[in-house]
Amino acid sequence: MGEQPQERSGYITPTRELERRWSLVRGAMDRQGIDCLVIQNELGAMGGYVRYFTDSVANPYRTTVLFPAKEDMFMIDHGSPASNVYPPFFKPRGLQGNVLSPYVQTFNFAQDYAARAAVDFIRDHGFKTLGWVAMTNIDAAFYRYLTENLPDCEFVDASDLVDRIKAVKGPDEIESIRQTIELHDRIIGLVPEFARPGRYEFEIRSDLIKASLDLKSEEQNIMVGRHPRRSAMFPPNVQTQKLQSGDVLTCLVEISGQEGIFAEVGRIFCLGEPPKALLKAYETSVEAQRLIASQMKPGADPVQIYEAANAFLVSRGYNREERIVAHGQGYDMVERPAVAPGETMVLEENMLIAIHCGAHNANGGASSTDNYLITADGANLLTQTPQKIIVI
């Protein structure tokens, strides 16, 4: 007897959770007069919108989801039009149909394949107001084809509509978050076992990825870097250095659990006595993190928190953080709300936030990366790994 579909099934988001999301989004669409949302994602750590709506991982060649306000979804994906990419156990719930088309981003001649299917579906259902979700994910050729071939439709940006719902986690998501945080604590706790003089940065990263996979992590983004005196991290293609006695090793673990939820944890390890400047920078970073967390309450403005964090860093002799000091997480490794200039979303209860405010100046720098859950009383630290430089 051949393989049964259920033998391939991994974690499945409870239907009650999907229905909770769909109901909230459709309610908001109805209030704003939007007939259908247009969503695109590619496989990867920033492919969360497709996962959020369908519990299905986006295709590397890009997945398109059309989410009507009053009927089931429609999906457009890469594949042979004569085949069915979704055996029964993969088929997302809440889906009325799907179309497969052999489009690939590197094939310019195929740039309209998915768009044609989308236009046909929209015309057939008589939708008049369409909402783009995260326009930074919508490819230019798809956008152009829809806007040129649907002249009677109104296009609006529905990103805020979805983001404000997606950022607030439901009970099932919070349970997944706690499991993912526990996974991060376990993985970062393995670094002292793998890091020793004579080993290369890429070997440590490889060990951590394998350990993550063994613990059912779906996707891994792990940054590793050694330096003689200060904290430093490098992407995989330049993780080429061999550790030596006395080195500073920085490790950032950003992985998703088997439920698809991302979190992150970052720590500094020393193969000897930590330099004094590094200790001071790390202590300042932890103080900044606690300051940020103390202000993270429902209704708080992330931009004001960003400015307060920077004022603190400058008062201690460190540079302003001109990037992001904290951000939301979920199906996307980095999602809203961002504690950064320009954010318009206020904090709400049940948001998952990663704080990674670094303290940097000419003498070096350091940071501690941890996850918090916003509660009615404020930010609750979920990460259990001690906030200290770990001496190996």
Side-chain angles (χ1 to χ4, degrees), residues 6-54:
Q6 60 268 26
E7 295 176 10
R8 286 282 180 183
S9 298
Y11 175 84
I12 298 175
T13 300
T15 300
R16 62 177 177 268
E17 169 58 24
L18 292 176
E19 291 176 342
R20 182 192 71 87
R21 302 169 187 175
W22 300 336
S23 176
L24 289 171
V25 172
R26 287 190 168 115
M29 292 171 67
D30 183 63
R31 290 190 292 275
Q32 295 188 28
I34 298 174
D35 298 322
C36 184
L37 299 179
V38 182
I39 304 159
Q40 281 192 324
N41 269 144
E42 297 173 20
L43 176 65
M46 304 297 285
Y49 290 96
V50 165
R51 184 69 175 265
Y52 185 78
F53 280 92
T54 69

mmCIF file of all heavy atoms in Angstrom, residues 6-54:
data_model
loop_
_atom_site.group_PDB
_atom_site.id
_atom_site.type_symbol
_atom_site.label_atom_id
_atom_site.label_comp_id
_atom_site.label_asym_id
_atom_site.label_seq_id
_atom_site.Cartn_x
_atom_site.Cartn_y
_atom_site.Cartn_z
ATOM 1 N N GLN A 6 -1.925 11.615 5.089
ATOM 2 C CA GLN A 6 -1.735 12.087 6.453
ATOM 3 C C GLN A 6 -0.322 11.807 6.979
ATOM 4 O O GLN A 6 0.124 12.432 7.936
ATOM 5 C CB GLN A 6 -2.788 11.467 7.389
ATOM 6 C CG GLN A 6 -2.767 9.944 7.453
ATOM 7 C CD GLN A 6 -3.709 9.322 6.445
ATOM 8 O OE1 GLN A 6 -4.002 9.941 5.431
ATOM 9 N NE2 GLN A 6 -4.180 8.113 6.726
ATOM 10 N N GLU A 7 0.399 10.874 6.334
ATOM 11 C CA GLU A 7 1.756 10.582 6.766
ATOM 12 C C GLU A 7 2.688 11.750 6.490
ATOM 13 O O GLU A 7 3.778 11.830 7.049
ATOM 14 C CB GLU A 7 2.254 9.312 6.070
ATOM 15 C CG GLU A 7 1.494 8.056 6.468
ATOM 16 C CD GLU A 7 1.948 6.838 5.683
ATOM 17 O OE1 GLU A 7 2.963 6.939 4.977
ATOM 18 O OE2 GLU A 7 1.294 5.787 5.779
ATOM 19 N N ARG A 8 2.302 12.627 5.590
ATOM 20 C CA ARG A 8 3.117 13.791 5.253
ATOM 21 C C ARG A 8 2.707 15.042 6.025
ATOM 22 O O ARG A 8 3.376 16.060 5.962
ATOM 23 C CB ARG A 8 2.988 14.079 3.754
ATOM 24 C CG ARG A 8 3.743 13.108 2.872
ATOM 25 C CD ARG A 8 5.214 13.444 2.865
ATOM 26 N NE ARG A 8 5.976 12.525 2.025
ATOM 27 C CZ ARG A 8 7.296 12.583 1.906
ATOM 28 N NH1 ARG A 8 7.977 13.482 2.572
ATOM 29 N NH2 ARG A 8 7.922 11.727 1.131
ATOM 30 N N SER A 9 1.620 15.006 6.698
ATOM 31 C CA SER A 9 1.109 16.201 7.370
ATOM 32 C C SER A 9 1.977 16.574 8.561
ATOM 33 O O SER A 9 2.294 15.734 9.400
ATOM 34 C CB SER A 9 -0.335 15.974 7.834
ATOM 35 O OG SER A 9 -1.163 15.727 6.734
ATOM 36 N N GLY A 10 2.365 17.843 8.621
ATOM 37 C CA GLY A 10 3.066 18.360 9.783
ATOM 38 C C GLY A 10 2.091 19.113 10.661
ATOM 39 O O GLY A 10 0.938 18.709 10.813
ATOM 40 N N TYR A 11 2.533 20.232 11.222
ATOM 41 C CA TYR A 11 1.637 21.032 12.053
ATOM 42 C C TYR A 11 0.585 21.691 11.172
ATOM 43 O O TYR A 11 0.885 22.234 10.116
ATOM 44 C CB TYR A 11 2.426 22.094 12.813
ATOM 45 C CG TYR A 11 1.530 23.024 13.602
ATOM 46 C CD1 TYR A 11 1.081 22.672 14.866
ATOM 47 C CD2 TYR A 11 1.123 24.243 13.068
ATOM 48 C CE1 TYR A 11 0.249 23.501 15.591
ATOM 49 C CE2 TYR A 11 0.285 25.083 13.788
ATOM 50 C CZ TYR A 11 -0.145 24.705 15.046
ATOM 51 O OH TYR A 11 -0.977 25.532 15.750
ATOM 52 N N ILE A 12 -0.653 21.657 11.596
ATOM 53 C CA ILE A 12 -1.752 22.304 10.887
ATOM 54 C C ILE A 12 -2.391 23.321 11.823
ATOM 55 O O ILE A 12 -2.798 22.983 12.937
ATOM 56 C CB ILE A 12 -2.803 21.278 10.432
ATOM 57 C CG1 ILE A 12 -2.178 20.283 9.444
ATOM 58 C CG2 ILE A 12 -4.001 21.972 9.803
ATOM 59 C CD1 ILE A 12 -3.111 19.165 9.033
ATOM 60 N N THR A 13 -2.455 24.553 11.391
ATOM 61 C CA THR A 13 -3.104 25.589 12.191
ATOM 62 C C THR A 13 -4.571 25.212 12.405
ATOM 63 O O THR A 13 -5.261 24.857 11.445
ATOM 64 C CB THR A 13 -3.020 26.946 11.479
ATOM 65 O OG1 THR A 13 -1.647 27.290 11.290
ATOM 66 C CG2 THR A 13 -3.708 28.044 12.285
ATOM 67 N N PRO A 14 -5.053 25.263 13.633
ATOM 68 C CA PRO A 14 -6.457 24.907 13.878
ATOM 69 C C PRO A 14 -7.415 25.738 13.022
ATOM 70 O O PRO A 14 -7.211 26.942 12.821
ATOM 71 C CB PRO A 14 -6.641 25.210 15.367
ATOM 72 C CG PRO A 14 -5.265 25.107 15.951
ATOM 73 C CD PRO A 14 -4.349 25.603 14.875
ATOM 74 N N THR A 15 -8.431 25.093 12.519
ATOM 75 C CA THR A 15 -9.416 25.789 11.687
ATOM 76 C C THR A 15 -10.040 26.957 12.436
ATOM 77 O O THR A 15 -10.331 28.005 11.843
ATOM 78 C CB THR A 15 -10.506 24.807 11.219
ATOM 79 O OG1 THR A 15 -9.890 23.758 10.452
ATOM 80 C CG2 THR A 15 -11.545 25.502 10.364
ATOM 81 N N ARG A 16 -10.218 26.812 13.748
ATOM 82 C CA ARG A 16 -10.819 27.908 14.524
ATOM 83 C C ARG A 16 -9.947 29.170 14.452
ATOM 84 O O ARG A 16 -10.470 30.291 14.456
ATOM 85 C CB ARG A 16 -11.008 27.485 15.982
ATOM 86 C CG ARG A 16 -9.711 27.145 16.721
ATOM 87 C CD ARG A 16 -9.911 26.801 18.181
ATOM 88 N NE ARG A 16 -8.653 26.411 18.802
ATOM 89 C CZ ARG A 16 -8.212 25.163 18.894
ATOM 90 N NH1 ARG A 16 -8.950 24.172 18.413
ATOM 91 N NH2 ARG A 16 -7.049 24.893 19.467
ATOM 92 N N GLU A 17 -8.618 28.988 14.374
ATOM 93 C CA GLU A 17 -7.728 30.141 14.286
ATOM 94 C C GLU A 17 -7.812 30.791 12.912
ATOM 95 O O GLU A 17 -7.849 32.021 12.797
ATOM 96 C CB GLU A 17 -6.290 29.729 14.604
ATOM 97 C CG GLU A 17 -5.223 30.779 14.294
ATOM 98 C CD GLU A 17 -5.430 32.102 15.009
ATOM 99 O OE1 GLU A 17 -6.089 32.139 16.069
ATOM 100 O OE2 GLU A 17 -4.923 33.124 14.511
ATOM 101 N N LEU A 18 -7.845 29.974 11.863
ATOM 102 C CA LEU A 18 -8.001 30.541 10.526
ATOM 103 C C LEU A 18 -9.325 31.288 10.411
ATOM 104 O O LEU A 18 -9.382 32.393 9.855
ATOM 105 C CB LEU A 18 -7.936 29.430 9.479
ATOM 106 C CG LEU A 18 -6.577 28.740 9.310
ATOM 107 C CD1 LEU A 18 -6.700 27.599 8.302
ATOM 108 C CD2 LEU A 18 -5.510 29.718 8.869
ATOM 109 N N GLU A 19 -10.381 30.706 10.936
ATOM 110 C CA GLU A 19 -11.695 31.356 10.865
ATOM 111 C C GLU A 19 -11.722 32.657 11.656
ATOM 112 O O GLU A 19 -12.404 33.610 11.274
ATOM 113 C CB GLU A 19 -12.773 30.388 11.359
ATOM 114 C CG GLU A 19 -12.990 29.217 10.401
ATOM 115 C CD GLU A 19 -13.980 28.200 10.931
ATOM 116 O OE1 GLU A 19 -14.243 28.210 12.159
ATOM 117 O OE2 GLU A 19 -14.496 27.398 10.127
ATOM 118 N N ARG A 20 -10.980 32.695 12.769
ATOM 119 C CA ARG A 20 -10.872 33.947 13.539
ATOM 120 C C ARG A 20 -10.259 35.042 12.674
ATOM 121 O O ARG A 20 -10.766 36.181 12.624
ATOM 122 C CB ARG A 20 -10.012 33.710 14.778
ATOM 123 C CG ARG A 20 -9.858 34.939 15.688
ATOM 124 C CD ARG A 20 -8.767 34.724 16.732
ATOM 125 N NE ARG A 20 -7.433 34.741 16.137
ATOM 126 C CZ ARG A 20 -6.722 35.846 15.937
ATOM 127 N NH1 ARG A 20 -7.199 37.027 16.280
ATOM 128 N NH2 ARG A 20 -5.515 35.785 15.385
ATOM 129 N N ARG A 21 -9.174 34.727 11.977
ATOM 130 C CA ARG A 21 -8.499 35.706 11.123
ATOM 131 C C ARG A 21 -9.401 36.155 9.983
ATOM 132 O O ARG A 21 -9.546 37.356 9.713
ATOM 133 C CB ARG A 21 -7.219 35.095 10.532
ATOM 134 C CG ARG A 21 -6.232 34.601 11.552
ATOM 135 C CD ARG A 21 -5.138 33.782 10.884
ATOM 136 N NE ARG A 21 -4.260 33.151 11.868
ATOM 137 C CZ ARG A 21 -3.291 32.308 11.570
ATOM 138 N NH1 ARG A 21 -3.069 31.979 10.308
ATOM 139 N NH2 ARG A 21 -2.535 31.785 12.515
ATOM 140 N N TRP A 22 -9.984 35.169 9.296
ATOM 141 C CA TRP A 22 -10.832 35.506 8.156
ATOM 142 C C TRP A 22 -11.993 36.394 8.569
ATOM 143 O O TRP A 22 -12.333 37.354 7.873
ATOM 144 C CB TRP A 22 -11.375 34.224 7.514
ATOM 145 C CG TRP A 22 -10.334 33.289 6.995
ATOM 146 C CD1 TRP A 22 -9.057 33.600 6.617
ATOM 147 C CD2 TRP A 22 -10.475 31.876 6.785
ATOM 148 N NE1 TRP A 22 -8.397 32.467 6.191
ATOM 149 C CE2 TRP A 22 -9.241 31.401 6.284
ATOM 150 C CE3 TRP A 22 -11.524 30.978 6.973
ATOM 151 C CZ2 TRP A 22 -9.039 30.050 5.966
ATOM 152 C CZ3 TRP A 22 -11.334 29.640 6.660
ATOM 153 C CH2 TRP A 22 -10.100 29.183 6.159
ATOM 154 N N SER A 23 -12.593 36.097 9.713
ATOM 155 C CA SER A 23 -13.742 36.872 10.167
ATOM 156 C C SER A 23 -13.355 38.321 10.466
ATOM 157 O O SER A 23 -14.056 39.266 10.078
ATOM 158 C CB SER A 23 -14.349 36.214 11.409
ATOM 159 O OG SER A 23 -15.415 36.989 11.923
ATOM 160 N N LEU A 24 -12.226 38.494 11.153
ATOM 161 C CA LEU A 24 -11.777 39.848 11.481
ATOM 162 C C LEU A 24 -11.449 40.648 10.224
ATOM 163 O O LEU A 24 -11.804 41.824 10.097
ATOM 164 C CB LEU A 24 -10.560 39.776 12.401
ATOM 165 C CG LEU A 24 -10.819 39.294 13.837
ATOM 166 C CD1 LEU A 24 -9.504 39.069 14.568
ATOM 167 C CD2 LEU A 24 -11.682 40.295 14.593
ATOM 168 N N VAL A 25 -10.745 40.011 9.287
ATOM 169 C CA VAL A 25 -10.358 40.711 8.060
ATOM 170 C C VAL A 25 -11.592 41.042 7.224
ATOM 171 O O VAL A 25 -11.724 42.163 6.708
ATOM 172 C CB VAL A 25 -9.354 39.869 7.250
ATOM 173 C CG1 VAL A 25 -9.103 40.509 5.885
ATOM 174 C CG2 VAL A 25 -8.032 39.726 8.006
ATOM 175 N N ARG A 26 -12.499 40.092 7.098
ATOM 176 C CA ARG A 26 -13.692 40.351 6.279
ATOM 177 C C ARG A 26 -14.574 41.432 6.908
ATOM 178 O O ARG A 26 -15.195 42.229 6.195
ATOM 179 C CB ARG A 26 -14.475 39.057 6.071
ATOM 180 C CG ARG A 26 -13.762 38.115 5.092
ATOM 181 C CD ARG A 26 -14.612 36.935 4.673
ATOM 182 N NE ARG A 26 -13.986 36.254 3.543
ATOM 183 C CZ ARG A 26 -13.503 35.009 3.562
ATOM 184 N NH1 ARG A 26 -13.602 34.288 4.677
ATOM 185 N NH2 ARG A 26 -12.949 34.486 2.482
ATOM 186 N N GLY A 27 -14.604 41.468 8.236
ATOM 187 C CA GLY A 27 -15.344 42.546 8.886
ATOM 188 C C GLY A 27 -14.756 43.907 8.553
ATOM 189 O O GLY A 27 -15.487 44.875 8.276
ATOM 190 N N ALA A 28 -13.423 43.999 8.578
ATOM 191 C CA ALA A 28 -12.756 45.263 8.247
ATOM 192 C C ALA A 28 -12.947 45.607 6.773
ATOM 193 O O ALA A 28 -13.124 46.786 6.415
ATOM 194 C CB ALA A 28 -11.273 45.162 8.578
ATOM 195 N N MET A 29 -12.908 44.606 5.903
ATOM 196 C CA MET A 29 -13.146 44.854 4.471
ATOM 197 C C MET A 29 -14.542 45.404 4.240
ATOM 198 O O MET A 29 -14.731 46.334 3.440
ATOM 199 C CB MET A 29 -12.953 43.556 3.682
ATOM 200 C CG MET A 29 -11.522 43.047 3.634
ATOM 201 S SD MET A 29 -11.412 41.374 2.920
ATOM 202 C CE MET A 29 -11.896 41.690 1.211
ATOM 203 N N ASP A 30 -15.511 44.826 4.921
ATOM 204 C CA ASP A 30 -16.894 45.287 4.764
ATOM 205 C C ASP A 30 -17.036 46.741 5.191
ATOM 206 O O ASP A 30 -17.696 47.542 4.519
ATOM 207 C CB ASP A 30 -17.823 44.393 5.580
ATOM 208 C CG ASP A 30 -19.290 44.762 5.400
ATOM 209 O OD1 ASP A 30 -19.791 44.643 4.268
ATOM 210 O OD2 ASP A 30 -19.918 45.172 6.399
ATOM 211 N N ARG A 31 -16.378 47.088 6.311
ATOM 212 C CA ARG A 31 -16.471 48.480 6.788
ATOM 213 C C ARG A 31 -15.806 49.457 5.829
ATOM 214 O O ARG A 31 -16.214 50.623 5.741
ATOM 215 C CB ARG A 31 -15.829 48.580 8.179
ATOM 216 C CG ARG A 31 -16.630 47.886 9.277
ATOM 217 C CD ARG A 31 -16.093 48.226 10.646
ATOM 218 N NE ARG A 31 -14.768 47.651 10.879
ATOM 219 C CZ ARG A 31 -14.537 46.413 11.319
ATOM 220 N NH1 ARG A 31 -15.567 45.602 11.552
ATOM 221 N NH2 ARG A 31 -13.318 45.986 11.527
ATOM 222 N N GLN A 32 -14.785 49.005 5.096
ATOM 223 C CA GLN A 32 -14.071 49.893 4.175
ATOM 224 C C GLN A 32 -14.524 49.728 2.724
ATOM 225 O O GLN A 32 -13.982 50.367 1.825
ATOM 226 C CB GLN A 32 -12.565 49.655 4.291
ATOM 227 C CG GLN A 32 -12.004 50.023 5.663
ATOM 228 C CD GLN A 32 -10.484 49.976 5.705
ATOM 229 O OE1 GLN A 32 -9.812 50.171 4.701
ATOM 230 N NE2 GLN A 32 -9.937 49.752 6.889
ATOM 231 N N GLY A 33 -15.504 48.872 2.496
ATOM 232 C CA GLY A 33 -16.052 48.712 1.157
ATOM 233 C C GLY A 33 -15.103 48.045 0.173
ATOM 234 O O GLY A 33 -15.121 48.365 -1.022
ATOM 235 N N ILE A 34 -14.298 47.120 0.638
ATOM 236 C CA ILE A 34 -13.339 46.417 -0.219
ATOM 237 C C ILE A 34 -13.904 45.056 -0.589
ATOM 238 O O ILE A 34 -14.304 44.273 0.270
ATOM 239 C CB ILE A 34 -11.977 46.255 0.490
ATOM 240 C CG1 ILE A 34 -11.376 47.636 0.778
ATOM 241 C CG2 ILE A 34 -11.013 45.413 -0.352
ATOM 242 C CD1 ILE A 34 -10.109 47.585 1.607
ATOM 243 N N ASP A 35 -13.948 44.758 -1.884
ATOM 244 C CA ASP A 35 -14.530 43.501 -2.361
ATOM 245 C C ASP A 35 -13.550 42.330 -2.286
ATOM 246 O O ASP A 35 -13.956 41.194 -2.051
ATOM 247 C CB ASP A 35 -14.988 43.645 -3.819
ATOM 248 C CG ASP A 35 -16.074 44.685 -3.983
ATOM 249 O OD1 ASP A 35 -16.949 44.769 -3.102
ATOM 250 O OD2 ASP A 35 -16.040 45.430 -4.989
ATOM 251 N N CYS A 36 -12.269 42.602 -2.515
ATOM 252 C CA CYS A 36 -11.302 41.508 -2.597
ATOM 253 C C CYS A 36 -9.899 42.038 -2.307
ATOM 254 O O CYS A 36 -9.527 43.108 -2.798
ATOM 255 C CB CYS A 36 -11.342 40.877 -3.994
ATOM 256 S SG CYS A 36 -10.270 39.441 -4.194
ATOM 257 N N LEU A 37 -9.148 41.281 -1.516
ATOM 258 C CA LEU A 37 -7.749 41.604 -1.249
ATOM 259 C C LEU A 37 -6.851 40.875 -2.251
ATOM 260 O O LEU A 37 -7.140 39.750 -2.665
ATOM 261 C CB LEU A 37 -7.350 41.185 0.164
ATOM 262 C CG LEU A 37 -8.092 41.844 1.321
ATOM 263 C CD1 LEU A 37 -7.578 41.292 2.651
ATOM 264 C CD2 LEU A 37 -7.962 43.365 1.283
ATOM 265 N N VAL A 38 -5.754 41.514 -2.602
ATOM 266 C CA VAL A 38 -4.764 40.925 -3.514
ATOM 267 C C VAL A 38 -3.457 40.782 -2.733
ATOM 268 O O VAL A 38 -2.902 41.772 -2.245
ATOM 269 C CB VAL A 38 -4.553 41.801 -4.759
ATOM 270 C CG1 VAL A 38 -3.560 41.134 -5.709
ATOM 271 C CG2 VAL A 38 -5.883 42.068 -5.461
ATOM 272 N N ILE A 39 -2.974 39.543 -2.605
ATOM 273 C CA ILE A 39 -1.834 39.222 -1.747
ATOM 274 C C ILE A 39 -0.804 38.461 -2.561
ATOM 275 O O ILE A 39 -1.145 37.553 -3.325
ATOM 276 C CB ILE A 39 -2.290 38.341 -0.559
ATOM 277 C CG1 ILE A 39 -3.409 39.034 0.224
ATOM 278 C CG2 ILE A 39 -1.123 37.976 0.348
ATOM 279 C CD1 ILE A 39 -4.252 38.086 1.052
ATOM 280 N N GLN A 40 0.467 38.815 -2.403
ATOM 281 C CA GLN A 40 1.557 38.062 -3.029
ATOM 282 C C GLN A 40 2.702 37.874 -2.039
ATOM 283 O O GLN A 40 3.021 38.776 -1.268
ATOM 284 C CB GLN A 40 2.092 38.782 -4.275
ATOM 285 C CG GLN A 40 1.240 38.619 -5.506
ATOM 286 C CD GLN A 40 1.956 39.087 -6.761
ATOM 287 O OE1 GLN A 40 2.716 40.048 -6.763
ATOM 288 N NE2 GLN A 40 1.708 38.384 -7.865
ATOM 289 N N ASN A 41 3.295 36.695 -2.076
ATOM 290 C CA ASN A 41 4.472 36.386 -1.263
ATOM 291 C C ASN A 41 5.338 35.375 -1.988
ATOM 292 O O ASN A 41 4.870 34.635 -2.856
ATOM 293 C CB ASN A 41 4.092 35.768 0.087
ATOM 294 C CG ASN A 41 3.905 36.794 1.189
ATOM 295 O OD1 ASN A 41 3.039 36.648 2.044
ATOM 296 N ND2 ASN A 41 4.707 37.834 1.178
ATOM 297 N N GLU A 42 6.618 35.348 -1.602
ATOM 298 C CA GLU A 42 7.527 34.297 -2.029
ATOM 299 C C GLU A 42 7.961 33.516 -0.801
ATOM 300 O O GLU A 42 7.912 34.020 0.320
ATOM 301 C CB GLU A 42 8.751 34.888 -2.730
ATOM 302 C CG GLU A 42 8.416 35.627 -4.017
ATOM 303 C CD GLU A 42 9.624 36.343 -4.595
ATOM 304 O OE1 GLU A 42 10.753 35.975 -4.250
ATOM 305 O OE2 GLU A 42 9.424 37.267 -5.403
ATOM 306 N N LEU A 43 8.395 32.276 -1.015
ATOM 307 C CA LEU A 43 8.901 31.455 0.076
ATOM 308 C C LEU A 43 10.035 32.181 0.778
ATOM 309 O O LEU A 43 10.911 32.760 0.145
ATOM 310 C CB LEU A 43 9.413 30.121 -0.473
ATOM 311 C CG LEU A 43 10.073 29.177 0.518
ATOM 312 C CD1 LEU A 43 9.065 28.713 1.555
ATOM 313 C CD2 LEU A 43 10.663 27.984 -0.221
ATOM 314 N N GLY A 44 10.034 32.145 2.085
ATOM 315 C CA GLY A 44 11.109 32.772 2.825
ATOM 316 C C GLY A 44 10.628 33.370 4.121
ATOM 317 O O GLY A 44 9.443 33.299 4.472
ATOM 318 N N ALA A 45 11.558 33.972 4.826
ATOM 319 C CA ALA A 45 11.260 34.510 6.139
ATOM 320 C C ALA A 45 10.319 35.712 6.088
ATOM 321 O O ALA A 45 9.819 36.142 7.125
ATOM 322 C CB ALA A 45 12.566 34.902 6.834
ATOM 323 N N MET A 46 10.099 36.259 4.892
ATOM 324 C CA MET A 46 9.192 37.392 4.750
ATOM 325 C C MET A 46 7.999 37.005 3.878
ATOM 326 O O MET A 46 7.477 37.799 3.110
ATOM 327 C CB MET A 46 9.942 38.581 4.143
ATOM 328 C CG MET A 46 11.177 38.997 4.937
ATOM 329 S SD MET A 46 10.798 39.572 6.610
ATOM 330 C CE MET A 46 10.122 41.192 6.230
ATOM 331 N N GLY A 47 7.545 35.755 4.006
ATOM 332 C CA GLY A 47 6.423 35.271 3.216
ATOM 333 C C GLY A 47 5.171 35.055 4.034
ATOM 334 O O GLY A 47 4.378 34.157 3.744
ATOM 335 N N GLY A 48 4.973 35.885 5.048
ATOM 336 C CA GLY A 48 3.970 35.593 6.054
ATOM 337 C C GLY A 48 2.525 35.835 5.693
ATOM 338 O O GLY A 48 1.622 35.254 6.313
ATOM 339 N N TYR A 49 2.238 36.692 4.712
ATOM 340 C CA TYR A 49 0.833 36.991 4.423
ATOM 341 C C TYR A 49 0.114 35.776 3.844
ATOM 342 O O TYR A 49 -1.015 35.462 4.240
ATOM 343 C CB TYR A 49 0.717 38.178 3.468
ATOM 344 C CG TYR A 49 1.106 39.490 4.096
ATOM 345 C CD1 TYR A 49 2.390 40.009 3.935
ATOM 346 C CD2 TYR A 49 0.198 40.211 4.872
ATOM 347 C CE1 TYR A 49 2.760 41.207 4.523
ATOM 348 C CE2 TYR A 49 0.549 41.417 5.456
ATOM 349 C CZ TYR A 49 1.843 41.909 5.287
ATOM 350 O OH TYR A 49 2.204 43.090 5.872
ATOM 351 N N VAL A 50 0.754 35.076 2.912
ATOM 352 C CA VAL A 50 0.147 33.867 2.353
ATOM 353 C C VAL A 50 -0.073 32.832 3.445
ATOM 354 O O VAL A 50 -1.124 32.199 3.534
ATOM 355 C CB VAL A 50 1.016 33.301 1.206
ATOM 356 C CG1 VAL A 50 0.601 31.870 0.862
ATOM 357 C CG2 VAL A 50 0.914 34.186 -0.026
ATOM 358 N N ARG A 51 0.922 32.654 4.316
ATOM 359 C CA ARG A 51 0.798 31.685 5.406
ATOM 360 C C ARG A 51 -0.331 32.090 6.353
ATOM 361 O O ARG A 51 -1.092 31.244 6.838
ATOM 362 C CB ARG A 51 2.128 31.603 6.160
ATOM 363 C CG ARG A 51 2.182 30.549 7.275
ATOM 364 C CD ARG A 51 2.163 29.138 6.704
ATOM 365 N NE ARG A 51 2.337 28.124 7.718
ATOM 366 C CZ ARG A 51 3.496 27.563 8.047
ATOM 367 N NH1 ARG A 51 4.615 27.947 7.444
ATOM 368 N NH2 ARG A 51 3.567 26.618 8.951
ATOM 369 N N TYR A 52 -0.441 33.359 6.634
ATOM 370 C CA TYR A 52 -1.449 33.848 7.577
ATOM 371 C C TYR A 52 -2.860 33.531 7.087
ATOM 372 O O TYR A 52 -3.722 33.112 7.870
ATOM 373 C CB TYR A 52 -1.293 35.356 7.771
ATOM 374 C CG TYR A 52 -2.212 35.949 8.809
ATOM 375 C CD1 TYR A 52 -1.936 35.820 10.163
ATOM 376 C CD2 TYR A 52 -3.359 36.651 8.438
ATOM 377 C CE1 TYR A 52 -2.784 36.366 11.126
ATOM 378 C CE2 TYR A 52 -4.198 37.207 9.385
ATOM 379 C CZ TYR A 52 -3.910 37.061 10.734
ATOM 380 O OH TYR A 52 -4.759 37.593 11.673
ATOM 381 N N PHE A 53 -3.112 33.728 5.801
ATOM 382 C CA PHE A 53 -4.464 33.523 5.278
ATOM 383 C C PHE A 53 -4.763 32.069 4.944
ATOM 384 O O PHE A 53 -5.909 31.638 5.047
ATOM 385 C CB PHE A 53 -4.672 34.384 4.023
ATOM 386 C CG PHE A 53 -4.975 35.829 4.324
ATOM 387 C CD1 PHE A 53 -3.963 36.761 4.410
ATOM 388 C CD2 PHE A 53 -6.276 36.241 4.543
ATOM 389 C CE1 PHE A 53 -4.237 38.092 4.703
ATOM 390 C CE2 PHE A 53 -6.564 37.566 4.832
ATOM 391 C CZ PHE A 53 -5.536 38.497 4.916
ATOM 392 N N THR A 54 -3.754 31.307 4.519
ATOM 393 C CA THR A 54 -4.022 29.987 3.952
ATOM 394 C C THR A 54 -3.437 28.831 4.751
ATOM 395 O O THR A 54 -3.791 27.677 4.481
ATOM 396 C CB THR A 54 -3.447 29.895 2.526
ATOM 397 O OG1 THR A 54 -2.012 29.904 2.590
ATOM 398 C CG2 THR A 54 -3.933 31.044 1.660
#
